[in-house]
Coordinates of all heavy atoms in Angstrom, one line a residue:
M220 N -45.7 22.5 -30.2 CA -45.3 21.0 -29.9 C -44.0 20.8 -29.5 O -43.6 19.7 -29.2 CB -45.6 20.2 -31.4 CG -47.1 20.0 -31.6 SD -47.6 19.2 -33.0 CE -46.7 17.7 -33.0
D221 N -43.1 21.8 -29.5 CA -41.9 21.6 -29.2 C -41.7 21.2 -27.8 O -40.7 20.5 -27.3 CB -41.0 22.9 -29.2 CG -40.9 23.3 -30.8 OD1 -40.9 22.5 -31.7 OD2 -40.7 24.5 -31.1
G222 N -42.4 21.6 -26.9 CA -42.4 21.2 -25.4 C -43.0 19.8 -25.1 O -43.1 19.6 -23.9
L223 N -43.4 19.1 -26.1 CA -44.1 17.8 -25.8 C -43.2 16.7 -26.0 O -42.3 16.7 -26.9 CB -45.3 17.7 -26.8 CG -46.3 18.7 -26.7 CD1 -47.5 18.4 -27.8 CD2 -47.0 18.9 -25.4
S224 N -43.4 15.7 -25.3 CA -42.6 14.5 -25.4 C -43.0 13.7 -26.6 O -44.0 14.1 -27.3 CB -42.7 13.4 -24.1 OG -44.0 13.0 -24.2
A225 N -42.3 12.9 -27.1 CA -42.6 12.0 -28.4 C -44.0 11.4 -28.2 O -44.8 11.4 -29.1 CB -41.5 11.1 -28.6
S226 N -44.3 10.8 -27.1 CA -45.5 10.2 -27.0 C -46.7 11.2 -27.0 O -47.8 10.9 -27.5 CB -45.6 9.2 -25.7 OG -45.5 10.0 -24.5
E227 N -46.6 12.3 -26.4 CA -47.4 13.4 -26.4 C -47.6 13.9 -27.8 O -48.9 14.4 -28.2 CB -47.1 14.5 -25.5 CG -47.2 14.1 -23.8 CD -46.6 15.1 -23.0 OE1 -45.6 15.8 -23.5 OE2 -47.1 15.3 -21.9
Q228 N -46.6 13.9 -28.5 CA -46.7 14.5 -29.9 C -47.5 13.6 -30.7 O -48.4 13.9 -31.5 CB -45.4 14.8 -30.5 CG -44.6 15.9 -30.0 CD -43.2 16.1 -30.5 OE1 -42.8 15.4 -31.5 NE2 -42.5 17.1 -30.1
R229 N -47.3 12.3 -30.5 CA -48.1 11.3 -31.3 C -49.6 11.2 -31.0 O -50.4 11.2 -31.7 CB -47.6 9.8 -31.1 CG -46.2 9.5 -31.8 CD -45.9 8.1 -31.7 NE -45.7 7.6 -30.3 CZ -44.6 7.7 -29.5 NH1 -43.5 8.4 -30.2 NH2 -44.5 7.2 -28.4
E230 N -49.8 11.4 -29.6 CA -51.2 11.6 -29.1 C -51.9 12.8 -29.7 O -53.0 12.6 -30.2 CB -51.2 11.5 -27.6 CG -52.7 11.9 -27.0 CD -53.6 10.7 -27.3 OE1 -53.1 9.6 -27.4 OE2 -54.8 10.9 -27.2
L231 N -51.1 13.8 -29.7 CA -51.8 15.1 -30.3 C -52.0 15.0 -31.8 O -53.1 15.4 -32.3 CB -50.8 16.3 -30.1 CG -51.3 17.6 -30.5 CD1 -52.6 18.1 -30.0 CD2 -50.3 18.8 -30.2
A232 N -51.0 14.4 -32.6 CA -51.2 14.1 -34.0 C -52.3 13.3 -34.3 O -53.2 13.5 -35.2 CB -50.0 13.6 -34.4
S233 N -52.5 12.2 -33.5 CA -53.6 11.3 -33.6 C -55.0 12.0 -33.4 O -55.9 11.8 -34.1 CB -53.5 10.1 -32.6 OG -54.7 9.3 -32.5
R234 N -55.1 12.8 -32.3 CA -56.3 13.6 -32.1 C -56.6 14.6 -33.1 O -57.7 14.7 -33.5 CB -56.2 14.3 -30.7 CG -56.2 13.4 -29.5 CD -56.1 14.2 -28.2 NE -56.0 13.4 -27.2 CZ -56.7 13.5 -26.0 NH1 -57.5 14.5 -25.8 NH2 -56.6 12.6 -25.1
I235 N -55.5 15.2 -33.6 CA -55.8 16.2 -34.7 C -56.3 15.5 -36.0 O -57.4 15.9 -36.7 CB -54.5 17.0 -35.1 CG1 -54.3 17.9 -34.0 CG2 -54.7 17.7 -36.4 CD1 -52.8 18.7 -34.0
E236 N -55.7 14.3 -36.3 CA -56.1 13.5 -37.5 C -57.6 13.0 -37.3 O -58.4 13.1 -38.3 CB -55.2 12.3 -37.6 CG -55.4 11.4 -38.8 CD -54.5 10.3 -38.9 OE1 -53.3 10.4 -38.5 OE2 -55.0 9.2 -39.4
K237 N -57.9 12.5 -36.1 CA -59.4 12.1 -35.9 C -60.3 13.3 -36.1 O -61.4 13.2 -36.8 CB -59.5 11.6 -34.5 CG -58.8 10.2 -34.4 CD -59.0 9.7 -32.9 CE -58.3 8.3 -32.8 NZ -58.2 7.8 -31.5
K238 N -60.0 14.5 -35.5 CA -60.8 15.6 -35.6 C -61.0 16.1 -37.1 O -62.0 16.4 -37.6 CB -60.3 16.8 -34.7 CG -61.1 18.2 -34.9 CD -60.7 19.1 -33.9 CE -61.6 20.3 -33.9 NZ -63.0 20.1 -33.8
Q239 N -59.9 16.0 -37.9 CA -59.9 16.5 -39.2 C -60.8 15.4 -40.1 O -61.5 15.9 -40.8 CB -58.5 16.4 -40.0 CG -57.6 17.7 -39.5 CD -56.4 17.7 -40.0 OE1 -55.7 16.5 -40.2 NE2 -55.7 18.7 -40.1
M240 N -60.7 14.2 -39.6 CA -61.5 13.1 -40.4 C -63.1 13.4 -40.1 O -63.9 13.3 -40.9 CB -61.2 11.8 -40.0 CG -62.0 10.7 -40.7 SD -62.0 10.7 -42.4 CE -60.4 10.0 -42.8
K241 N -63.3 13.7 -38.8 CA -64.8 14.0 -38.4 C -65.3 15.2 -39.1 O -66.4 15.2 -39.5 CB -64.7 14.1 -36.9 CG -66.2 14.3 -36.2 CD -66.2 14.5 -34.8 CE -67.4 14.6 -34.3 NZ -67.5 14.8 -32.7
E242 N -64.5 16.3 -39.1 CA -64.9 17.4 -39.9 C -65.1 17.2 -41.4 O -66.1 17.7 -41.9 CB -63.8 18.5 -39.7 CG -63.9 19.1 -38.3 CD -62.6 20.1 -38.2 OE1 -62.0 20.4 -39.1 OE2 -62.6 20.6 -37.0
F243 N -64.2 16.4 -42.0 CA -64.4 16.0 -43.4 C -65.7 15.3 -43.6 O -66.4 15.5 -44.6 CB -63.3 15.0 -43.8 CG -63.4 14.6 -45.3 CD1 -63.4 15.3 -46.4 CD2 -63.8 13.3 -45.5 CE1 -63.5 14.9 -47.7 CE2 -64.0 12.7 -46.6 CZ -63.9 13.5 -47.8
M244 N -65.9 14.2 -42.7 CA -67.1 13.4 -42.9 C -68.4 14.3 -42.7 O -69.4 14.1 -43.3 CB -67.1 12.2 -41.9 CG -66.1 11.2 -42.1 SD -66.0 10.5 -43.9 CE -67.6 9.8 -43.9
S245 N -68.3 15.3 -41.8 CA -69.4 16.0 -41.5 C -69.7 17.0 -42.8 O -70.9 17.1 -43.2 CB -69.2 17.0 -40.3 OG -70.2 18.0 -40.1
M246 N -68.7 17.6 -43.4 CA -68.9 18.3 -44.6 C -69.4 17.5 -45.7 O -70.3 17.9 -46.5 CB -67.5 19.0 -45.1 CG -67.6 19.9 -46.3 SD -66.1 20.4 -47.0 CE -65.7 19.1 -48.0
Y247 N -68.9 16.3 -45.8 CA -69.3 15.3 -47.0 C -70.9 15.0 -46.7 O -71.6 15.1 -47.6 CB -68.5 14.0 -46.9 CG -68.9 12.9 -47.8 CD1 -68.6 13.2 -49.2 CD2 -69.8 11.9 -47.6 CE1 -68.9 12.2 -50.2 CE2 -70.2 10.9 -48.5 CZ -69.9 11.1 -49.8 OH -70.2 10.3 -50.7
S248 N -71.2 14.8 -45.6 CA -72.6 14.5 -45.1 C -73.6 15.7 -45.6 O -74.5 15.5 -46.2 CB -72.7 14.1 -43.7 OG -74.1 13.9 -43.4
R249 N -73.1 16.8 -45.2 CA -73.8 18.1 -45.4 C -74.0 18.4 -47.1 O -75.0 18.6 -47.6 CB -73.2 19.4 -44.9 CG -73.5 19.4 -43.4 CD -73.0 20.9 -42.9 NE -71.7 21.2 -43.2 CZ -70.5 20.9 -42.6 NH1 -70.6 20.3 -41.4 NH2 -69.5 21.4 -43.0
L250 N -72.8 18.0 -47.8 CA -72.9 18.0 -49.1 C -73.9 17.2 -49.7 O -74.7 17.3 -50.7 CB -71.5 17.8 -49.8 CG -71.3 17.6 -51.3 CD1 -71.8 18.9 -52.0 CD2 -70.0 17.2 -51.7
V251 N -73.8 15.9 -49.4 CA -74.7 14.8 -50.0 C -76.2 15.2 -49.6 O -77.1 15.1 -50.6 CB -74.3 13.5 -49.4 CG1 -75.5 12.4 -49.7 CG2 -72.9 13.0 -49.9
Q252 N -76.4 15.6 -48.4 CA -77.7 15.9 -48.0 C -78.3 17.1 -48.8 O -79.5 17.1 -49.3 CB -77.9 16.1 -46.5 CG -79.3 16.2 -46.0 CD -80.0 14.9 -46.1 OE1 -79.6 14.0 -45.7 NE2 -81.2 15.1 -46.7
R253 N -77.5 18.1 -49.0 CA -78.0 19.3 -49.6 C -78.2 19.1 -51.0 O -79.3 19.4 -51.6 CB -76.9 20.3 -49.4 CG -77.1 21.7 -50.3 CD -78.0 22.5 -49.5 NE -78.4 23.8 -50.4 CZ -77.9 24.9 -50.1 NH1 -77.2 25.1 -49.1 NH2 -78.4 25.9 -50.9
C254 N -77.4 18.3 -51.8 CA -77.5 18.2 -53.2 C -78.6 17.1 -53.3 O -79.4 17.3 -54.3 CB -76.2 17.7 -53.9 SG -75.0 19.0 -53.8
F255 N -78.8 16.1 -52.5 CA -79.9 15.3 -52.7 C -81.3 15.9 -52.5 O -82.2 15.7 -53.4 CB -79.7 14.0 -51.6 CG -80.9 13.2 -51.8 CD1 -80.8 12.0 -52.6 CD2 -82.1 13.2 -51.0 CE1 -81.8 11.1 -52.7 CE2 -83.1 12.2 -51.1 CZ -82.9 11.3 -52.0
D256 N -81.4 16.8 -51.4 CA -82.6 17.4 -51.2 C -82.9 18.4 -52.4 O -84.1 18.5 -52.8 CB -82.6 18.3 -49.8 CG -82.5 17.4 -48.6 OD1 -82.9 16.3 -48.8 OD2 -82.1 17.9 -47.6
D257 N -81.9 19.0 -52.9 CA -82.2 20.0 -53.9 C -82.4 19.4 -55.4 O -83.1 20.0 -56.2 CB -81.0 21.0 -54.0 CG -80.9 22.0 -52.9 OD1 -81.9 22.0 -52.1 OD2 -79.8 22.7 -52.8
C258 N -81.8 18.3 -55.6 CA -81.8 17.7 -57.0 C -82.6 16.5 -57.2 O -83.1 16.2 -58.3 CB -80.4 17.5 -57.5 SG -79.4 19.0 -57.5
V259 N -82.7 15.6 -56.2 CA -83.5 14.3 -56.4 C -84.8 14.4 -56.0 O -85.1 14.6 -55.0 CB -82.7 13.2 -55.7 CG1 -83.3 11.9 -56.0 CG2 -81.3 13.2 -56.1
N260 N -85.7 14.2 -57.1 CA -87.1 14.3 -56.8 C -88.0 13.2 -57.5 O -89.2 13.2 -57.4 CB -87.8 15.7 -57.0 CG -87.3 16.3 -58.2 OD1 -87.3 15.5 -59.1 ND2 -87.2 17.5 -58.3
D261 N -87.3 12.4 -58.3 CA -88.0 11.3 -59.0 C -87.6 10.0 -58.6 O -86.5 9.5 -58.8 CB -87.7 11.5 -60.6 CG -88.3 10.5 -61.4 OD1 -89.1 9.7 -61.0 OD2 -88.1 10.4 -62.7
F262 N -88.5 9.5 -57.9 CA -88.3 8.2 -57.1 C -88.8 6.9 -57.9 O -89.1 5.9 -57.4 CB -88.7 8.1 -55.6 CG -87.8 9.1 -54.9 CD1 -88.4 10.4 -54.6 CD2 -86.6 8.9 -54.4 CE1 -87.7 11.3 -54.0 CE2 -86.0 9.8 -53.8 CZ -86.5 11.1 -53.5
T263 N -89.3 7.1 -59.1 CA -89.7 6.0 -59.9 C -88.7 5.2 -60.7 O -89.1 4.1 -61.1 CB -90.7 6.6 -61.1 OG1 -90.0 7.5 -61.8 CG2 -91.8 7.5 -60.5
T264 N -87.5 5.5 -60.6 CA -86.4 4.8 -61.2 C -85.3 4.6 -60.0 O -85.2 5.5 -59.1 CB -85.7 5.2 -62.4 OG1 -85.1 6.6 -62.1 CG2 -86.8 5.5 -63.4
K265 N -84.4 3.5 -60.2 CA -83.4 3.4 -59.2 C -82.1 4.2 -59.5 O -81.3 4.4 -58.7 CB -83.0 1.9 -59.0 CG -82.5 1.3 -60.2 CD -82.3 -0.2 -59.8 CE -81.6 -0.9 -61.0 NZ -81.5 -2.3 -60.8
S266 N -82.1 4.8 -60.7 CA -80.9 5.7 -61.0 C -81.4 7.1 -61.3 O -82.6 7.4 -61.5 CB -80.2 5.0 -62.3 OG -81.1 5.1 -63.3
L267 N -80.4 7.9 -61.3 CA -80.7 9.3 -61.5 C -81.2 9.6 -63.0 O -80.6 9.0 -63.8 CB -79.5 10.3 -61.2 CG -79.1 10.3 -59.8 CD1 -77.8 11.0 -59.7 CD2 -80.1 10.8 -58.8
V268 N -82.2 10.5 -63.2 CA -82.5 11.0 -64.5 C -81.5 11.9 -65.0 O -80.8 12.6 -64.1 CB -84.0 11.4 -64.6 CG1 -84.9 10.2 -64.3 CG2 -84.3 12.5 -63.8
P269 N -81.3 12.1 -66.3 CA -80.3 13.1 -66.7 C -80.4 14.5 -66.1 O -79.4 15.1 -65.6 CB -80.5 13.1 -68.3 CG -81.1 11.8 -68.6 CD -81.9 11.5 -67.4
R270 N -81.6 15.0 -65.9 CA -81.8 16.2 -65.2 C -81.2 16.2 -63.9 O -80.6 17.2 -63.4 CB -83.3 16.7 -65.3 CG -83.6 18.0 -64.6 CD -85.2 18.2 -64.7 NE -85.9 17.2 -64.1 CZ -86.0 16.9 -62.8 NH1 -85.4 17.5 -61.9 NH2 -86.7 15.8 -62.4
E271 N -81.6 15.2 -63.0 CA -81.2 15.2 -61.7 C -79.6 15.0 -61.7 O -79.0 15.6 -60.8 CB -81.7 14.0 -61.0 CG -83.2 14.1 -60.7 CD -83.8 12.7 -60.3 OE1 -83.3 11.7 -60.6 OE2 -84.9 12.9 -59.5
E272 N -79.0 14.2 -62.5 CA -77.6 14.0 -62.5 C -76.8 15.3 -62.9 O -75.8 15.6 -62.3 CB -77.2 13.0 -63.7 CG -75.7 12.6 -63.5 CD -75.4 11.5 -64.6 OE1 -76.3 10.8 -65.1 OE2 -74.3 11.2 -64.6
G273 N -77.4 16.1 -63.8 CA -76.8 17.4 -64.1 C -77.0 18.3 -62.9 O -75.9 19.1 -62.6
C274 N -78.0 18.4 -62.2 CA -78.2 19.1 -61.0 C -77.3 18.8 -59.9 O -76.6 19.7 -59.4 CB -79.7 19.0 -60.5 SG -80.0 19.9 -59.0
V275 N -77.1 17.5 -59.7 CA -76.1 17.0 -58.7 C -74.8 17.5 -59.0 O -74.0 17.9 -58.2 CB -76.2 15.6 -58.5 CG1 -75.1 14.9 -57.7 CG2 -77.6 15.2 -57.8
L276 N -74.2 17.4 -60.3 CA -72.9 17.7 -60.7 C -72.7 19.2 -60.4 O -71.7 19.6 -59.9 CB -72.7 17.4 -62.1 CG -72.6 15.8 -62.3 CD1 -72.4 15.6 -63.8 CD2 -71.4 15.2 -61.7
R277 N -73.7 20.0 -60.9 CA -73.6 21.4 -60.7 C -73.6 21.9 -59.2 O -72.8 22.7 -58.6 CB -74.8 22.2 -61.3 CG -74.5 22.3 -62.8 CD -75.7 23.2 -63.4 NE -77.0 22.8 -63.1 CZ -77.7 21.8 -63.8 NH1 -77.2 21.1 -64.9 NH2 -78.9 21.6 -63.5
C278 N -74.5 21.1 -58.3 CA -74.5 21.4 -56.9 C -73.2 21.0 -56.3 O -72.7 21.9 -55.4 CB -75.6 20.5 -56.3 SG -75.9 20.6 -54.6
V279 N -72.6 19.9 -56.5 CA -71.3 19.5 -56.0 C -70.2 20.5 -56.3 O -69.5 20.9 -55.5 CB -70.9 18.0 -56.3 CG1 -69.5 17.7 -56.0 CG2 -71.9 17.0 -55.7
D280 N -70.2 20.9 -57.6 CA -69.2 21.9 -58.1 C -69.3 23.1 -57.3 O -68.3 23.7 -56.8 CB -69.2 22.0 -59.6 CG -68.3 23.0 -60.2 OD1 -67.0 22.5 -60.0 OD2 -68.6 23.9 -60.8
K281 N -70.5 23.7 -57.3 CA -70.8 24.9 -56.5 C -70.4 24.8 -55.1 O -69.8 25.7 -54.5 CB -72.3 25.4 -56.7 CG -72.5 26.8 -56.1 CD -73.9 27.2 -56.3 CE -74.2 27.8 -57.7 NZ -75.5 28.3 -57.8
Y282 N -70.7 23.8 -54.4 CA -70.4 23.6 -53.0 C -68.9 23.6 -52.8 O -68.4 24.1 -51.9 CB -71.1 22.3 -52.6 CG -71.1 22.2 -51.1 CD1 -72.1 22.5 -50.3 CD2 -70.0 21.5 -50.5 CE1 -72.1 22.4 -48.9 CE2 -70.0 21.3 -49.0 CZ -70.9 21.7 -48.3 OH -70.9 21.6 -47.0
L283 N -68.3 22.8 -53.5 CA -66.8 22.7 -53.4 C -66.1 23.9 -53.7 O -65.1 24.4 -53.0 CB -66.2 21.6 -54.3 CG -66.7 20.2 -53.9 CD1 -66.2 19.1 -54.9 CD2 -66.3 19.8 -52.4
K284 N -66.5 24.6 -54.8 CA -65.9 25.9 -55.1 C -66.3 27.0 -54.0 O -65.3 27.8 -53.7 CB -66.5 26.5 -56.4 CG -65.8 25.7 -57.8 CD -66.3 26.2 -58.9 CE -65.7 25.6 -60.2 NZ -66.3 26.0 -61.4
S285 N -67.3 27.0 -53.5 CA -67.7 28.0 -52.3 C -66.8 27.6 -51.2 O -66.4 28.5 -50.5 CB -69.2 28.1 -52.2 OG -69.6 26.9 -51.6
S286 N -66.8 26.3 -50.8 CA -66.0 25.9 -49.7 C -64.4 26.4 -49.8 O -63.8 26.9 -48.9 CB -66.1 24.5 -49.5 OG -67.4 24.1 -49.1
T287 N -64.0 26.2 -51.0 CA -62.5 26.5 -51.3 C -62.4 28.1 -51.2 O -61.4 28.5 -50.5 CB -62.2 26.1 -52.8 OG1 -62.3 24.8 -52.8 CG2 -60.7 26.5 -53.0
R288 N -63.4 28.9 -51.7 CA -63.3 30.2 -51.6 C -63.4 30.7 -50.3 O -62.6 31.6 -49.8 CB -64.3 30.8 -52.6 CG -64.2 32.4 -52.6 CD -62.9 32.8 -53.1 NE -62.8 34.3 -53.1 CZ -61.8 35.0 -52.8 NH1 -60.7 34.4 -52.5 NH2 -61.7 36.3 -52.6
L289 N -64.3 30.1 -49.4 CA -64.5 30.4 -48.0 C -63.2 30.3 -47.3 O -62.7 31.1 -46.5 CB -65.6 29.7 -47.5 CG -65.9 30.1 -46.0 CD1 -66.3 31.4 -46.0 CD2 -67.0 29.0 -45.5
G290 N -62.4 29.2 -47.5 CA -61.2 28.7 -47.0 C -60.1 29.8 -47.3 O -59.3 30.3 -46.3
E291 N -60.1 30.2 -48.6 CA -59.1 31.2 -49.1 C -59.3 32.6 -48.3 O -58.5 33.2 -47.9 CB -59.3 31.3 -50.5 CG -58.7 30.2 -51.3 CD -59.0 30.2 -52.8 OE1 -59.8 31.2 -53.2 OE2 -58.6 29.3 -53.5
R292 N -60.5 33.0 -48.2 CA -60.8 34.2 -47.6 C -60.5 34.2 -46.1 O -60.1 35.3 -45.5 CB -62.4 34.7 -47.8 CG -62.8 34.9 -49.2 CD -62.2 36.3 -49.7 NE -62.7 37.4 -49.0 CZ -61.9 38.4 -48.5 NH1 -60.8 38.6 -49.0 NH2 -62.5 39.3 -47.9
F293 N -60.9 33.1 -45.4 CA -60.5 33.1 -44.2 C -59.0 33.2 -43.9 O -58.4 33.9 -43.0 CB -60.9 31.6 -43.6 CG -60.5 31.4 -42.1 CD1 -61.3 32.1 -41.1 CD2 -59.6 30.6 -41.8 CE1 -60.9 31.9 -39.8 CE2 -59.1 30.4 -40.5 CZ -59.8 31.1 -39.5
Q294 N -58.1 32.5 -44.8 CA -56.7 32.7 -44.6 C -56.2 34.1 -44.9 O -55.4 34.6 -44.2 CB -56.0 31.7 -45.8 CG -56.1 30.2 -45.2 CD -55.6 29.3 -46.3 OE1 -55.3 29.7 -47.4 NE2 -55.3 28.1 -45.9
E295 N -56.9 34.8 -46.0 CA -56.5 36.1 -46.3 C -56.9 37.0 -45.1 O -56.0 37.9 -44.7 CB -57.3 36.8 -47.5 CG -57.0 36.0 -48.7 CD -57.8 36.2 -49.9 OE1 -58.9 37.0 -49.7 OE2 -57.8 35.7 -51.0
Q296 N -58.0 36.8 -44.5 CA -58.4 37.6 -43.3 C -57.5 37.4 -42.2 O -57.1 38.3 -41.5 CB -59.9 37.3 -43.0 CG -60.9 38.0 -43.9 CD -60.8 39.4 -44.0 OE1 -60.7 40.1 -43.0 NE2 -60.9 40.0 -45.3
N297 N -57.1 36.2 -42.0 CA -56.3 35.8 -40.8 C -54.9 36.4 -41.1 O -54.4 36.9 -40.2 CB -56.1 34.3 -40.7 CG -55.4 33.8 -39.4 OD1 -55.5 34.4 -38.4 ND2 -54.6 32.8 -39.5
A298 N -54.4 36.4 -42.2 CA -53.0 37.0 -42.6 C -53.0 38.4 -42.4 O -52.1 39.1 -41.7 CB -52.6 36.7 -44.0
T299 N -54.1 39.1 -42.8 CA -54.3 40.6 -42.6 C -54.3 41.0 -41.0 O -53.7 41.8 -40.7 CB -55.6 41.1 -43.2 OG1 -55.5 40.7 -44.7 CG2 -55.8 42.6 -43.1
M300 N -55.1 40.2 -40.3 CA -55.2 40.5 -38.9 C -53.8 40.3 -38.1 O -53.5 41.1 -37.2 CB -56.3 39.6 -38.3 CG -57.7 40.0 -38.8 SD -59.0 38.8 -38.2 CE -59.1 39.2 -36.6
M301 N -53.2 39.2 -38.6 CA -51.7 38.9 -38.1 C -50.9 40.2 -38.3 O -50.2 40.6 -37.5 CB -51.1 37.6 -38.6 CG -51.9 36.4 -38.1 SD -51.7 36.1 -36.2 CE -50.1 35.7 -36.2
Q302 N -50.9 40.5 -39.6 CA -50.0 41.6 -40.0 C -50.4 43.0 -39.2 O -49.5 43.8 -38.8 CB -50.1 41.9 -41.4 CG -49.5 40.9 -42.2 CD -49.5 41.0 -43.9 OE1 -50.4 41.9 -44.3 NE2 -48.7 40.3 -44.5
S303 N -51.7 43.2 -38.9 CA -52.0 44.3 -38.3 C -51.9 44.3 -36.8 O -52.3 45.1 -36.1 CB -53.3 44.9 -38.8 OG -54.4 43.9 -38.3
G304 N -51.7 43.1 -36.3 CA -51.5 42.8 -34.9 C -52.8 42.8 -34.1 O -52.9 42.8 -33.0
Q305 N -53.8 42.3 -34.8 CA -55.2 42.2 -34.3 C -55.4 40.8 -33.6 O -56.1 40.5 -32.7 CB -56.3 42.5 -35.2 CG -56.4 43.7 -35.6 CD -57.5 43.9 -36.7 OE1 -58.1 42.9 -37.3 NE2 -57.9 45.2 -37.0
L306 N -54.5 39.7 -34.0 CA -54.4 38.5 -33.3 C -53.1 38.3 -32.5 O -52.2 38.5 -33.1 CB -54.5 37.3 -34.4 CG -55.8 37.1 -35.1 CD1 -55.6 36.1 -36.2 CD2 -56.8 36.8 -34.1
P307 N -53.2 37.7 -31.4 CA -52.0 37.4 -30.7 C -51.2 36.4 -31.3 O -51.9 35.4 -31.8 CB -52.6 37.0 -29.3 CG -53.8 36.6 -29.6 CD -54.4 37.3 -30.7
S308 N -49.9 36.5 -31.4 CA -49.0 35.6 -32.0 C -48.6 34.6 -31.0 O -48.6 34.9 -29.8 CB -47.8 36.2 -32.7 OG -47.2 36.8 -31.7
R309 N -48.4 33.3 -31.4 CA -48.1 32.3 -30.3 C -46.8 31.8 -30.5 O -46.1 31.8 -31.4 CB -49.0 31.1 -30.5 CG -50.4 31.5 -30.1 CD -51.3 30.4 -30.2 NE -52.7 30.8 -29.9 CZ -53.7 30.0 -29.4 NH1 -53.5 28.8 -29.1 NH2 -54.8 30.5 -29.2

């Protein structure tokens, strides 16, 4: 970003922010769909029954923990590859 003008930097930052928001919303949508499909199956009441609520809580917890772990592993692998010279530095 050093070679960019102030307006180009603002434009780039805006685009990055929009992309991050889109990715977050996509992840959130997948989480909701996955946990709903796996846990909610009683449509006779308008609220979750205790069994469904527990399932949703476990599902969300597992999804978030696995996403966090996946991100950590990706960072570890990236650092290892950078140290061994397998990725070009910029």
